[in-house]
Amino acid sequence: MQDTASTPLSFQQLILRLHDYWAAQGCVILQPFDMRVGAGTFHPATTLRSLGPDPWNCAYVQPSRRPTDGRYGENPNRLQHYYQYQVIMKPSPPDLQELYLGSLAAIGIDPLLHDIRFVEDDWESPTLGAWGLGWEVWCDGMEVTQFTYFQQMGGFDCKPVTGELTYGLERLAMYIQGKDSVYDLVFNDAVGDRPAVTYGDVFLENERELSKWNFEVADTDKLFRWFKDAEAECQASIAAGVPLAAYEQAIEASHIFNLLQARGVISVQERASYMGRVRDLAKGSCEAWMAHNGWAQ
Amino acid sequence: MSADFLLELRCEEIPARMQARASEDLARLFTEKLAEAGLKAAWLTSYVTPRRLALIAHDLPLATQAVSEEYKGPRISAPPQALEGFLRKTGLTQDQLEDRDGVWFATVEKTGRATADVLAEVIPAIIRAFPWPKSMRWGSVSLSPESLRWVRPLQGIVALLGDDVVPIAIEGAEAGRTTLGHRFHASGLVSIERAATYAEQLRAAYVVVDQAERRRIIEERATALAAEAGLDLIPDAGLVAENAGLTEWPVPLLGRFDSAYLEVPPEVIQLTLRINQKYFVLRDSAGKLANAFICTANIEATDGGRAIIEGNGKVLAARLSDARFFWEQDKKTPLAVHAEKLARITFHEKIGTVADKVERVARLARWLGEEGIVKGADPALAEQAARLAKADLVTEMVGEFPELQGLMGGYYARAEGLPDVVADAIRDHYKPVGQGDDVPTAPVTVAVALADKLDSLFQFFAIDEKPTGSRDPYALRRAALGAILLIEKNGLRAPLWQVLPVFQNDIEEPAPIGLVIDAILDFFADRLKVQQREAGVRHDLIDAVFALGGEDDLVRLLARVKALQHFIATEDGANLLAGYKRAANILKKERPENGKSASAAGEEDPGAALTDPEIADAIRVHDALPPAYMLEPAEAALIAALDAAEPRAAEAVVAEDFEGAMAALATLRGPIDTFFDTVTVNDPDPAKRDSRLNVLTRIRAAVHQVADFSKIEG
């Protein structure tokens, strides 16, 4: 697909264009959160900042880890580690859809050449005690973005409502570059004798090794222990009045739980109980954050 | 004076599945609210697209009628506060009130109101209370949790009465005459002149506001595209409606996929296309699935749709590639190995795992074959099929497409070379899933399908999880109906009380088995009544058969209902019914002590068994000494007819020849008529009266061998 330029955007160009675009809309361009999370929504810049009345507009890339999606680098579409591009606007601006469509134009998607559609898709995160209404945005039948108006976070009503856009970067890049495998994506453009590299050059070995670790190597006894430790540390931090620190431990527990699931050591019955424990930590942290800021409902 | 009123509520994309209902709700609420204000339009036109709900009220009067309303107030002797309150409420002064027998009355003259004012009041109220299945808050006003809720952010309101804007204001939106056209094809605002130009002005802005027209466009264009490619469109009204709900300017486009994917079962491809991608599916001239799809775009693309087709084709290829991967992966493992994983899946916490269920169903399916209840069902094959029937639940494919359960198991069974009867049984054992679904007839399938349903019923009833009202979380009504249809269609002679205790129950502290069986039998009776009613059988005929009670053989019960339905439609039947009713009425009056238990059981307790007193009564009457007086000819003839008909009817009932039993009863019709024409039952001579009442009792008892005619209307 080559709409505007002769050379399609590289993976990093795609990110840079989105940064430029959203910065121009008044968003703070943040860096990824430095912990292992399952989705961009876990970044405190989304979870915690969507609470309370203060305006907040930001954009960032978040590496996202889904241990059970690992395929040892053998599936062209599924990865245990991938990137989400996250935009958060609070309160949700009245023209959020138009702003979003503007971002598609910025990365070279022509809406009179490609079929852009907003298809119902409501979002819910049981582990964050959060839900919202919105759409998955389709481009020629492919889901390229999740578009959500948060209604609740951590069990609290969002006052005001935050608009969240989550772009699947690899998928979008594959579309723009016309690639069938994520590993064939052009990561950067060659400059002089400095060559372009592919996504595979950067991440294929990572997928192989981490898939093996997630599914086979990770010591489950330690994982169970780490879960308990993170849970205890989260609770202690809530008690100590440091909700941001508590929230980090909630994130940690959530990821360890995902790893335990990938190792297949959590039964169906136990699963609900573990999810309840993670939710309690996340909600507890959110509650403490609300109280700390004097927003308690 | 009247004018057309246009209302357009424009918002961000409304989920397709909610549009039809929302459009109806808007029309209904509008009609109701206007009626409350005394206004009525000549007719309404409703439009809905993904981005707007619109309504045109034609010929709406421009003002409401003036009315005079009278209110009753407090007594004159009441405390002054009461009078003050009444004056506030009516807006009058004391000298405007009327004293009627010590009570204040007020007459309030209401002048006609301008319709525009009514609309300005009513429309915001409709918006605020709109019954969306799910609604949300948005934007800066959502700082307050009481802010307006709508299905997605509400962005604009057009409200025109005649040529004028109706001044409607609701937070964030003020009504005007401007709206937006197509998201990509039309730039700038569209200024609507009046209701009559709305649809055409939007059409010029690439929006087809009429959902029916969008459906027609999709259907016609898709059919034409298929024909151009030498293919047939597989009709799918639901998909047409969904695509019409996703587009304002629908443009169907035909694309192709790699025919190598056709090796995947066609149902999988169809689901991938329809459910995941909302594409239409096509067939070739031989009726086979074609390697083509039709998607519905929302634009007239500048390249004629080439890029859209290419993009959709890529997405589809990735999905089909996943499906093929699942198909191939799943086939590598025999179903028996997949089935081992069922031990990890909880069926119900009090009942156990799916593996436990499979074990019971296998035992019952085998037993149904061994006992010859399902004739021709090889017990070993029935057991084998039952053991594998749920294995596909743990396959990748069914994980991805739960609606393919059973079907995929059938494919995998065939792929690993299991006998066809086993594969068919695995495929079809969930059937029938409701009235109108195919009812299996292959014996092994019937055994597994029936065992599966009876097991669910028995297990859930044993832990007292019965359906109540609209709550039936375990679909037990469907299971019972499925069992009924299987039994009926295949003529299975399986007294349920024999079948049910076969379960070796694993439940801790189950309810006493007798109570469970009784509850299930009652439940079956209810479902059977519903099923027969839906099949068009008169409910009173069903009641007449059920009132006999004590029947747990569904085949016999249904044969009786069928014979009765046929008989009652004949002249003999109608006349016999008339004679029976006459006899029964006399008995009810003259022999309440004898007839009571029978008729009470019939009238007040339709489920009760044929009561002993009535049988005893009939036996007593039958054994009574011949009357000691000279019988009148009609009396003698009726007794002779009864003597002849009773044993014939009884024999026929035993032989389950209900047509025959009714034919025997039909011979009574003439003698009964003559008896009532010429004989006085209430003779002054007690011996004659008693003897004649005995004859009537015999008539009633004879008829009750077939059905309780007192239940039959007419």
Side-chain angles (χ1 to χ4, degrees):
Chain A
M1 187 189 107
Q2 301 176 20
D3 292 343
T4 48
S6 53
T7 318
L9 292 180
S10 66
F11 190 69
Q12 68 190 33
Q13 273 296 333
L14 173 63
I15 294 170
L16 293 172
R17 287 272 182 97
L18 288 172
H19 275 343
D20 279 347
Y21 179 82
W22 288 107
Q25 310 310 323
C27 287
V28 174
I29 304 299
L30 286 177
Q31 301 308 314
F33 194 55
D34 59 341
M35 288 183 73
R36 298 175 296 182
V37 295
T41 306
F42 281 87
H43 196 310
T46 293
T47 311
L48 298 181
R49 291 283 188 164
S50 65
L51 293 167
D54 300 340
W56 176 246
N57 300 286
C58 77
Y60 56 88
V61 173
Q62 181 63 47
S64 304
R65 304 230 191 185
R66 303 260 167 107
T68 49
D69 280 349
R71 293 293 183 271
Y72 298 84
E74 282 166 17
N75 183 301
N77 299 301
R78 280 189 204 241
L79 306 163
Q80 57 82 40
H81 171 283
Y82 67 103
Y83 289 102
Q84 288 188 341
Y85 193 94
Q86 178 92 348
V87 179
I88 286 297
M89 302 190 97
K90 182 174 85 168
S92 63
D95 56 349
L96 186 55
Q97 279 188 318
E98 279 66 40
L99 291 177
Y100 167 72
L101 292 169
S103 76
L104 292 189
I107 54 175
I109 294 180
D110 175 358
L112 285 178
L113 197 54
H114 297 285
D115 187 32
I116 311 293
R117 227 83 75 65
F118 292 85
V119 180
E120 177 191 16
D121 192 24
D122 300 338
W123 172 81
E124 188 180 15
S125 169
T127 48
L128 286 177
W131 68 277
L133 298 190
W135 310 272
E136 50 183 45
V137 183
W138 284 17
C139 176
D140 296 341
M142 181 177 67
E143 183 195 343
V144 289
T145 305
Q146 183 78 37
F147 190 130
T148 308
Y149 291 102
F150 286 167
Q151 301 295 301
Q152 277 204 333
M153 177 58 76
F156 294 100
D157 282 340
C158 294
K159 296 187 296 188
V161 163
T162 292
E164 181 203 48
L165 307 173
T166 305
Y167 305 71
L169 282 175
E170 284 82 355
R171 206 185 268 207
L172 203 50
M174 283 166 74
Y175 190 74
I176 291 172
Q177 296 184 15
K179 303 290 189 197
D180 293 327
S181 167
V182 65
Y183 299 108
D184 296 336
L185 283 176
V186 176
F187 209 104
N188 64 327
D189 297 310
V191 174
D193 58 356
R194 291 184 286 279
V197 298
T198 65
Y199 193 92
D201 293 334
V202 183
F203 284 116
L204 181 56
E205 182 57 20
N206 188 62
E207 280 301 308
R208 289 181 182 139
E209 290 192 18
L210 269 294
S211 293
K212 189 174 167 73
W213 188 80
N214 293 338
F215 287 125
E216 303 169 41
V217 177
D219 181 332
T220 56
D221 288 343
K222 284 204 191 80
L223 291 175
F224 278 119
R225 202 165 69 222
W226 293 343
F227 183 89
K228 275 195 213 124
D229 287 349
E231 186 180 38
E233 196 58 23
C234 177
Q235 288 158 345
S237 303
I238 290 172
V242 281
L244 289 172
Y247 181 68
E248 290 190 357
Q249 295 305 316
I251 292 177
E252 182 67 12
S254 172
H255 182 67
I256 303 289
F257 163 66
N258 289 342
L259 286 169
L260 283 164
Q261 277 209 289
R263 296 289 281 115
V265 289
I266 292 188
S267 73
V268 179
Q269 288 85 345
E270 286 172 314
R271 188 167 175 269
S273 147
Y274 269 94
M275 282 176 63
R277 286 162 75 180
V278 174
R279 185 177 53 241
D280 289 346
L281 298 179
K283 286 176 86 163
S285 304
C286 288
E287 211 174 308
W289 174 245
M290 294 282 288
H292 187 83
N293 286 284
W295 300 326
Q297 292 188 331
Chain B
M1 284 284 282
S2 68
D4 292 347
F5 171 64
L6 166 71
L7 177 69
E8 183 199 68
L9 304 172
R10 184 170 51 81
C11 66
E12 297 178 6
E13 275 76 354
I14 307 168
R17 67 187 171 94
M18 298 179 188
Q19 291 170 18
R21 175 68 192 276
S23 184
E24 285 165 22
D25 284 340
L26 179 60
R28 178 178 54 80
L29 291 170
F30 181 82
T31 306
E32 284 172 12
K33 292 282 180 194
L34 256 65
E36 282 169 23
L39 282 169
K40 189 174 188 299
W43 82 96
L44 298 183
T45 306
S46 293
Y47 297 127
V48 60
T49 81
R51 296 177 73 200
R52 59 202 93 218
L53 263 179
L55 173 148
I56 295 174
H58 301 270
D59 282 343
L60 198 59
L62 288 177
T64 64
Q65 296 273 339
V67 284
S68 150
E69 283 173 1
E70 188 178 88
Y71 296 95
K72 185 180 174 189
R75 300 191 64 80
I76 289 170
S77 57
Q81 294 92 324
L83 177 62
E84 281 164 29
F86 185 58
L87 292 174
R88 255 198 316 277
K89 183 181 140 199
T90 54
L92 299 179
T93 52
Q94 193 174 342
D95 58 321
Q96 291 173 299
L97 300 184
E98 190 189 333
D99 170 2
R100 267 189 235 160
D101 299 331
V103 179
W104 289 119
F105 275 83
T107 304
V108 180
E109 299 293 339
K110 284 194 176 163
T111 52
R113 285 182 73 196
T115 297
D117 294 344
V118 173
L119 290 168
E121 195 177 286
V122 157
I123 302 297
I126 292 176
I127 293 173
R128 273 180 225 287
F130 203 81
W132 292 109
K134 265 188 189 172
S135 61
M136 55 166 279
R137 298 174 296 117
W138 66 92
S140 49
V141 292
S142 62
L143 200 52
S144 158
E146 271 74 51
S147 68
L148 181 67
R149 305 182 74 94
W150 198 245
V151 62
R152 293 294 185 275
L154 181 66
Q155 293 195 313
I157 302 174
V158 173
L160 293 175
L161 183 60
D163 295 329
D164 303 322
V165 171
V166 179
I168 292 169
I170 188 158
E171 55 261 51
E174 206 166 290
R177 62 170 69 246
T178 54
T179 184
L180 293 178
H182 189 280
R183 199 184 266 296
F184 305 116
H185 277 307
S187 57
L189 298 169
V190 180
S191 178
I192 305 295
E193 288 170 35
R194 56 184 176 278
T197 64
Y198 175 70
E200 287 316 309
Q201 283 190 274
L202 277 175
R203 186 188 302 279
Y206 287 82
V207 175
V208 177
V209 289
D210 183 355
Q211 56 283 7
E213 186 184 343
R214 293 197 307 279
R215 285 200 298 268
R216 206 162 48 238
I217 291 169
I218 294 169
E219 207 153 18
E220 287 175 4
R221 186 68 195 128
T223 306
L225 283 171
E228 285 162 26
L231 300 171
D232 280 329
L233 186 74
I234 299 180
D236 190 333
L239 198 57
V240 171
E242 188 171 12
N243 276 297
L246 285 166
T247 49
E248 292 202 306
W249 193 259
V251 180
L253 296 166
L254 183 139
R256 295 278 183 175
F257 59 85
D258 187 344
S259 56
Y261 291 120
L262 291 173
E263 72 190 48
V264 178
E267 292 89 348
V268 174
I269 297 179
Q270 246 172 302
L271 272 184
T272 304
L273 266 67
R274 286 179 48 227
I275 307 295
N276 291 344
Q277 297 299 128
K278 311 188 198 302
Y279 299 158
F280 293 94
V281 184
L282 301 106
R283 273 191 294 247
D284 63 19
S285 53
K288 289 198 155 182
L289 204 62
N291 65 325
F293 65 91
I294 290 177
C295 61
T296 310
N298 191 33
I299 52 167
E300 303 259 14
T302 44
D303 67 347
R306 199 183 44 79
I308 295 174
I309 291 169
E310 192 188 314
N312 278 282
K314 266 185 193 259
V315 180
L316 182 59
R319 290 222 183 245
L320 290 176
S321 159
D322 271 356
R324 184 166 61 182
F325 175 77
F326 293 150
W327 165 241
E328 274 158 12
Q329 278 302 111
D330 289 342
K331 278 195 299 182
K332 287 181 187 161
T333 309
L335 282 177
V337 176
H338 281 302
E340 288 165 13
K341 291 181 217 145
L342 297 173
R344 285 194 230 149
I345 304 177
T346 305
F347 179 65
H348 183 285
E349 56 175 8
K350 287 190 191 160
I351 297 176
T353 67
V354 176
D356 296 335
K357 178 178 175 62
V358 166
E359 178 62 33
R360 288 188 307 266
V361 172
R363 236 165 22 217
L364 182 58
R366 179 180 193 92
W367 183 85
L368 290 169
E370 280 170 348
E371 294 293 313
I373 290 171
V374 180
K375 295 206 166 39
D378 180 296
L381 291 177
E383 181 180 345
Q384 185 188 13
R387 289 201 183 283
L388 302 177
K390 306 287 180 193
D392 67 357
L393 293 178
V394 294
T395 61
E396 299 261 9
M397 190 70 90
V398 174
E400 191 72 13
F401 298 113
E403 54 271 71
L404 291 181
Q405 62 179 14
L407 188 84
M408 288 319 300
Y411 275 112
Y412 294 137
R414 243 174 284 273
E416 67 177 272
L418 295 173
D420 278 344
V421 289
V422 171
D424 291 347
I426 293 170
R427 182 188 63 200
D428 295 334
H429 81 281
Y430 292 103
K431 286 174 174 274
V433 288
Q435 189 94 335
D437 188 22
D438 293 341
V439 181
T441 53
V444 171
T445 306
V446 172
V448 180
L450 182 61
D452 187 29
K453 290 165 185 67
L454 291 178
D455 175 69
S456 293
L457 285 165
F458 186 82
Q459 298 298 325
F460 282 110
F461 271 69
I463 59 163
D464 205 24
E465 276 284 358
K466 297 169 196 152
T468 50
S470 60
R471 249 181 59 84
D472 183 11
Y474 306 108
L476 297 182
R477 291 196 179 107
R478 198 168 72 189
L481 175 63
I484 288 169
L485 293 170
L486 282 162
I487 289 168
E488 184 187 8
K489 173 97 175 190
N490 295 288
L492 304 185
R493 309 310 300 265
L496 292 169
W497 56 268
Q498 249 181 40
V499 172
L500 295 174
V502 170
F503 297 114
Q504 294 293 313
N505 203 354
D506 312 318
I507 300 165
E508 289 168 33
E509 299 176 44
I513 196 155
L515 293 182
V516 172
I517 291 172
D518 284 354
I520 293 178
L521 288 178
D522 285 350
F523 186 62
F524 263 105
D526 283 348
R527 296 337 294 163
L528 189 63
K529 281 185 197 174
V530 171
Q531 183 253 346
Q532 289 286 299
R533 244 169 258 169
E534 282 171 5
V537 178
R538 271 169 52 182
H539 70 94
D540 55 331
L541 301 185
I542 301 168
D543 288 345
V545 171
F546 268 94
L548 298 178
E551 177 66 273
D552 72 345
D553 183 327
L554 296 183
V555 172
R556 195 157 58 208
L557 204 146
L558 290 171
R560 222 184 257 266
V561 171
K562 208 167 152 193
L564 184 61
Q565 189 180 19
H566 183 73
F567 180 60
I568 268 321
T570 65
E571 203 194 332
D572 275 350
N575 287 329
L576 182 68
L577 176 62
Y580 165 89
K581 292 234 157 166
R582 212 163 150 186
N585 284 336
I586 294 170
L587 284 172
K588 208 158 152 188
K589 211 164 105 194
E590 303 301 329
R591 273 194 182 161
E593 74 286 2
N594 289 344
K596 199 170 185 229
S597 43
S599 82
E603 276 169 22
E604 285 156 33
D605 183 8
L610 184 66
T611 44
D612 289 340
E614 190 178 336
I615 297 168
D617 199 23
I619 291 168
R620 187 181 61 74
V621 167
H622 209 77
D623 293 346
L625 293 171
Y629 62 93
M630 179 61 88
L631 293 174
E632 292 187 31
E635 195 178 0
L638 179 54
I639 289 170
L642 277 165
D643 286 343
E646 277 168 349
R648 270 181 58 207
E651 274 169 38
V653 167
V654 171
E656 299 179 14
D657 171 13
F658 299 106
E659 309 275 350
M662 293 192 204
L665 293 177
T667 63
L668 295 174
R669 173 227 157 159
I672 288 176
D673 288 350
T674 318
F675 176 83
F676 279 124
D677 287 346
T678 60
V679 179
T680 308
V681 175
N682 260 335
D683 197 275
D685 178 348
K688 287 187 182 177
R689 179 178 168 273
D690 202 43
S691 160
R692 286 166 189 167
L693 286 175
N694 281 350
V695 172
L696 299 188
T697 305
R698 281 181 66 186
I699 293 174
R700 191 178 59 190
V703 169
H704 279 203
Q705 292 183 62
V706 173
D708 181 349
F709 274 43
S710 70
K711 295 289 166 200
I712 301 174
E713 291 164 7

